[in-house]
Amino acid sequence: MQQSGAAGGRGCALFPLLGVLFFQGVHIVLSLEIKADAHVRGYVGEKIKLKCTFKSTSSVTDKLTIDWTYRPPSSSRTESIFHYQSFQYPTTAGTFRDRISWVGDVYRGDASISISNPTLKDNGTFSCAVKNPPDVHHNIPVTELTVTERGFGTMLSSMALLSVLVFLPSAVVVVLLLLRMARKSAGLKKRSKSGYKKSSIEVSDDTDQEEGDDCVARLCVRCAECLDSDYEETY
């Protein structure tokens, strides 16, 4: 191969992106594949997860390291925000101080982290690097994070969902109550035309029905009060 010949007298050529090492005509595959979401969208004040997974041909040991870095938009400056080697070491300085949490599991190939209380200033590029000796040569995926304020449309959809959850049961109760009242009214008209007189048992049943209708009515009022309180909390 031309690549191996370019190594000169050392007889060695290294291809970090492919994870292939050629040494004295023998190639050794160092397979460490890392994947991360290319784009992540989040909202101000709501926790964001930056997902990163990896696959290694070697077993996980205490030599495995994970490093997350951040680069602001339109800048070449990068800063380390998280380091892992047997233990978690989130940054204790800078913009992300006390806001980075470990949510991964190295034994499942998960190197994910989360950001608490994100702001618009957190927009930028995040890189996830994993090394699991002897698998140390790999691609370094990047994630573009976009943090925005929740728009009016999102708030409106949340309010609509809340309205459905509150109004639907109330509407069902009201419809059942109206049907029951209509049937009762039709029965009374029919009996009055025929000169029918109620027995003492039927009078007792009507009293029970009135009490039940009163309970249903109170339930409807209570649902309306809950709706009002929910809207007050929303605003």
Side-chain angles (χ1 to χ4, degrees):
M1 296 179 62
Q2 294 180 354
Q3 290 88 343
S4 59
R10 292 179 299 173
C12 176
L14 185 62
F15 299 84
L17 293 180
L18 298 178
V20 179
L21 176 66
F22 286 89
F23 182 74
Q24 294 181 349
V26 179
H27 70 277
I28 304 173
V29 178
L30 304 179
S31 178
L32 180 57
E33 180 184 8
I34 307 175
K35 293 183 179 180
D37 295 329
H39 300 280
V40 173
R41 178 177 293 275
Y43 298 101
V44 172
E46 300 181 19
K47 182 177 288 187
I48 298 173
K49 180 179 180 180
L50 299 181
K51 187 176 181 181
C52 177
T53 59
F54 64 91
K55 291 182 180 179
S56 176
T57 57
S58 302
S59 300
V60 172
T61 67
D62 57 1
K63 294 182 179 179
L64 180 141
T65 61
I66 298 171
D67 288 283
W68 278 90
T69 58
Y70 165 73
R71 178 170 56 83
S74 304
S75 174
S76 59
R77 179 182 61 85
T78 61
E79 63 176 292
S80 175
I81 61 172
F82 181 85
H83 176 74
Y84 176 95
Q85 186 172 7
S86 299
F87 296 98
Q88 307 133 32
Y89 301 97
T91 183
T92 56
T95 306
F96 296 95
R97 177 182 179 182
D98 299 329
R99 296 197 295 127
I100 302 297
S101 300
W102 170 250
V103 293
D105 184 346
V106 294
Y107 296 102
R108 294 185 178 182
D110 191 347
S112 304
I113 60 173
S114 66
I115 304 174
S116 301
N117 300 317
T119 67
L120 298 178
K121 295 181 179 180
D122 295 339
N123 288 334
T125 304
F126 294 79
S127 300
C128 174
V130 182
K131 292 184 179 180
N132 185 34
D135 294 350
V136 295
H137 302 291
H138 54 79
N139 61 312
I140 300 180
V142 297
T143 298
E144 295 292 337
L145 175 63
T146 303
V147 181
T148 59
E149 296 276 2
R150 276 198 175 275
F152 177 75
T154 304
M155 296 176 61
L156 187 62
S157 62
S158 299
M159 293 175 61
L161 178 61
L162 177 63
S163 300
V164 169
L165 294 177
V166 174
F167 274 119
L168 186 59
S170 302
V172 172
V173 172
V174 170
V175 170
L176 293 177
L177 179 61
L178 291 175
L179 290 174
R180 188 172 182 179
M181 292 175 64
R183 291 178 59 185
K184 182 178 179 180
S185 177
L188 290 175
K189 289 181 179 180
K190 183 177 180 181
R191 292 174 182 176
S192 61
K193 288 181 180 181
S194 60
Y196 178 79
K197 294 183 179 181
K198 296 181 180 180
S199 65
S200 59
I201 297 177
E202 290 176 324
V203 171
S204 177
D205 291 341
D206 288 344
T207 301
D208 293 339
Q209 287 183 355
E210 291 175 358
E211 292 178 353
D213 294 341
D214 185 54
C215 290
V216 173
R218 287 200 300 270
L219 178 60
C220 292
V221 173
R222 181 57 180 166
C223 289
E225 292 176 352
C226 290
L227 177 60
D228 292 338
S229 63
D230 288 336
Y231 275 116
E232 290 177 0
E233 293 178 359
T234 303
Y235 288 102

